[in-house]
Amino acid sequence: MAVLDATGLVCPLPVLKARKLLKAMEVGEVLEVTATDPAAALDFAAFCGASGHQLIEQNDSEGRLYFKIRKSA
């Protein structure tokens, strides 16, 4: 599993950094992202919908957003 700490970054940087990491990953691997930008929830949902990657988990705690994205083919 790869990890991306995107805390403090604002749209579109968390998604752009995630996309770069996902390109280097194998199909089926999971990327775990931590972000603080409230727009990240919508951005990652839209990104996964457009790219075909699977958003397998999304939650928030104490101002931080957590995402798990499974790379698709």
Side-chain angles (χ1 to χ4, degrees):
M1 177 177 359
V3 176
L4 170 62
D5 182 0
T7 56
L9 301 178
V10 294
C11 176
L13 289 176
V15 169
L16 293 175
K17 289 184 176 285
R19 180 174 63 181
K20 183 177 180 179
L21 283 174
L22 284 163
K23 283 183 180 181
M25 294 171 61
E26 298 292 325
V27 172
E29 286 187 305
V30 174
L31 172 62
E32 186 174 284
V33 181
T34 303
T36 51
D37 182 4
L42 295 174
D43 293 343
F44 277 108
F47 166 70
C48 288
S51 65
H53 300 305
Q54 184 182 12
L55 183 59
I56 56 174
E57 188 176 324
Q58 176 179 332
N59 60 62
D60 61 84
S61 176
E62 299 178 11
R64 291 184 185 263
L65 302 167
Y66 300 94
F67 307 91
K68 287 188 181 176
I69 302 167
R70 179 173 286 122
K71 181 175 177 166
S72 297

